[in-house]
Amino acid sequence: MSTFGAKVGEKARVLLVGLDPAKIDFSKTPFPDLTAEKVMEGLNKDVTSLNTKGYTAELFLIDGTQEVTKLSDNLKAHLTGNTDYGCVMIGNGVRSVPSNFLLFEALCNTVHANAPKAKMAFNTSPHDSLEAIERWC
């Protein structure tokens, strides 16, 4: 049983949304010690851990160098016809970097409009997505 959300039957299908680490200049973020490799390693481990625990997890990485509208439209296109997500997690790289505020807002509203039954979760690093998902799903 999750801490906050109700869980019935099988575990949820989850979508982990985040910035493509290959497109990030980490020196301009609050996380200058991170690298694309470290982030992908953490995300891949989290997907594996989620799948091992019975969730159906997938990554949806976005190119943060594109316009917010384009990124929101890409997520909307992915969610269209895939509204059975039990949880959508938006990564800390989107949420905690002040210059990504409008992107974070757009992605949250896109999820709300196109996967209205999905709970929202937020991690604090590329290594704690499992804990974020388990709080709600």
Side-chain angles (χ1 to χ4, degrees):
M1 184 69 123
S2 64
T3 306
F4 300 105
K7 192 186 302 178
V8 180
E10 54 186 71
K11 301 239 180 166
R13 181 174 175 211
V14 298
L15 183 66
L16 285 68
V17 178
L19 296 170
D20 182 344
K23 308 273 183 169
I24 298 172
D25 178 354
F26 287 97
S27 69
K28 296 179 181 176
T29 73
F31 319 104
D33 294 335
L34 282 180
T35 65
E37 293 78 20
K38 286 180 186 177
V39 172
M40 280 309 304
E41 179 183 327
L43 290 172
N44 287 329
K45 282 183 181 177
D46 277 349
V47 168
T48 298
S49 295
L50 284 160
N51 288 330
T52 298
K53 288 201 163 228
Y55 295 94
T56 302
E58 63 182 284
L59 285 175
F60 185 80
L61 299 178
I62 56 177
D63 179 350
T65 65
Q66 295 179 337
E67 292 182 17
V68 169
T69 303
K70 170 82 169 149
L71 298 174
S72 182
D73 287 347
N74 290 345
L75 179 58
K76 178 180 178 180
H78 182 81
L79 292 171
T80 301
N82 291 308
T83 58
D84 62 338
Y85 287 105
C87 190
V88 176
M89 186 200 75
I90 297 178
N92 191 48
V94 174
R95 192 180 82 257
S96 68
V97 177
S99 62
N100 291 335
F101 173 74
L102 293 177
L103 173 59
F104 175 64
E105 189 175 65
L107 294 177
C108 286
N109 283 308
T110 298
V111 171
H112 178 68
N114 295 282
K117 293 181 182 178
K119 297 206 183 336
M120 298 286 297
F122 307 98
N123 66 358
T124 61
S125 80
H127 305 285
D128 69 353
S129 303
L130 174 63
E131 291 83 3
I133 297 296
E134 288 187 322
R135 281 195 299 271
W136 293 98
C137 295

